[in-house]
Amino acid sequence: MESSKFKIGDKFFKSRLIVGTGKYASFEETRDAIAASGAEMVTLAVRRIELDKTKESILNFLDPKTYSFLPNTAGCFTVKEAIMTCQLAREAGLGNMVKVEVIGDEKTLFPDNEATLEASKVLVKDGFQVLPYCTDDVVLCKKLEDVGCSAVMPLAAPIGSGLGVCNPFTIKLIREAVKVPVIVDAGVGTASDACRAMELGIDGLLMNTAIAGAQDPIKM
């Protein structure tokens, strides 16, 4: 039944796992690990991939009929950069569902919440289905929902840290406060971390480093 599936915006998914496409040893390994994961949605860092399929690109290894692409604005530090990157992704045929990241601190890669909210507001008005990466801030997540975001993506811990869910109470509060899907993003390092996050009632989670950085990404 569709009601039992995971719904983001106007799309339904059987898997509640979203996976990244960065940090793998090769495009072949990326393809095989994603296939093994069972994920149906994959993120693409628009500023870091080759959008021209006539050149060497991860896009040549992932079938758009099999996966829903979630272009993200990784590497953007301003509202303007994030908006332009999403527009570029749409023009490149990657769709209108986007993960918005506006980085506020280069060392930790923590998001600039104020800029994220501003960019999300503009992009929603421009017809995008926006999934914003943000801190585990209940008030911010409610504001992001209010401006029309299709989901919220609070971090569990700093990107790539593998520390797991550092503040389970705030994640639970966010789940209770908003009606849109809550997808835990960043810092989920192990399978047990993923289980712990799901036990808090979240709708899905995104993992990249934990898989791509494993000794055997396909087994992971």
Side-chain angles (χ1 to χ4, degrees), residues 105-125:
D105 180 70
E106 193 167 0
K107 180 180 180 180
T108 62
L109 299 181
F110 280 145
D112 180 331
N113 289 327
E114 184 178 350
T116 298
L117 180 60
E118 183 179 348
S120 297
K121 188 183 302 184
V122 173
L123 289 164
V124 168
K125 289 182 179 179

Side-chain angles (χ1 to χ4, degrees), residues 145-205:
E145 179 183 42
D146 288 342
V147 301
C149 290
S150 298
V152 291
M153 302 184 75
L155 55 80
I159 289 176
S161 68
L163 293 173
V165 184
C166 290
N167 297 302
F169 184 64
T170 56
I171 296 295
K172 188 176 181 181
L173 286 177
I174 291 169
R175 176 59 288 168
E176 294 171 353
V178 301
K179 295 179 180 178
V180 295
V182 177
I183 302 167
V184 163
D185 179 17
V188 180
T190 66
S192 58
D193 289 338
C195 290
R196 175 59 176 142
M198 294 301 290
E199 286 170 354
L200 295 171
I202 64 159
D203 301 279
L205 67 153

Side-chain angles (χ1 to χ4, degrees), residues 9 14 37 39 45 49 64 72 83 89 91 93 102 109 138 157 177 190 201 218 220:
K14 294 179 181 178
S37 76
I49 67 169
N72 68 46
I83 292 171
E91 288 298 316
V102 185
L109 299 181
V138 179
T190 66
I218 296 171
M220 182 61 175

